Amino acid sequence: MSTSTTASVSTHILDTSVGRPAGGVAVRLSARPGREAEWQALGGSATDADGRCKDLPVLPEGTTHVRLDFEVEPYFLKKQADAQQDAPANRDSGATGVFFPEVAITFAVNPGEHYHVPLLLNPFGYSVYRGS
């Protein structure tokens, strides 16, 4: 929740390759009080079955920049393993690893405002925007 002296942040992830929320993705939140300041790790959470992170840490007073780090590799590796179980012929296709193992989104904030930052994700690309 934002106050007159702090901003607040929320996020969710949609896996656009299947048109569904991406659950179980770890999300870390960091903040800094100016462009030249060091990042302060605030903690994190994970997306729920609806792809939403509802319990991100509160931003400290004076925060001007925020970084969300999404650990997407475990999500895609589990998705690949599940698909291989369902399609044994593809088990040895040589497709290993993940092209984007993590996604880092950095943005500027103003006190008193809420920032909802959705991540649209697929195995070979991603997009973000300021939501509402």
Side-chain angles (χ1 to χ4, degrees), residues 34-60:
R35 194 168 23 132
E36 303 299 322
E38 293 291 322
W39 287 105
Q40 175 187 0
L42 301 177
S45 184
T47 56
D48 61 15
D50 197 31
R52 298 187 179 278
C53 240
K54 296 181 179 174
D55 56 353
L56 288 172
V58 174
L59 297 176

Side-chain angles (χ1 to χ4, degrees), residues 2 5 7 17 28 34 39 58 74 77 79-80 89 91 100 110 120 123-125 131:
S2 62
T5 59
S17 67
R28 292 183 320 273
W39 287 105
V58 174
L77 291 176
K79 192 171 149 185
Q80 287 173 3
R91 204 169 275 148
F100 292 109
N110 290 312
L120 305 178
F124 297 101

Side-chain angles (χ1 to χ4, degrees), residues 15-29:
D15 181 343
T16 58
S17 67
V18 292
R20 305 199 50 82
V25 176
V27 181
R28 292 183 320 273
L29 179 71

Side-chain angles (χ1 to χ4, degrees), residues 51-75:
R52 298 187 179 278
C53 240
K54 296 181 179 174
D55 56 353
L56 288 172
V58 174
L59 297 176
E61 192 170 322
T63 296
T64 60
H65 294 86
V66 172
R67 186 176 68 213
L68 289 169
D69 291 295
F70 300 89
E71 295 180 31
V72 299
E73 184 172 40
Y75 169 79

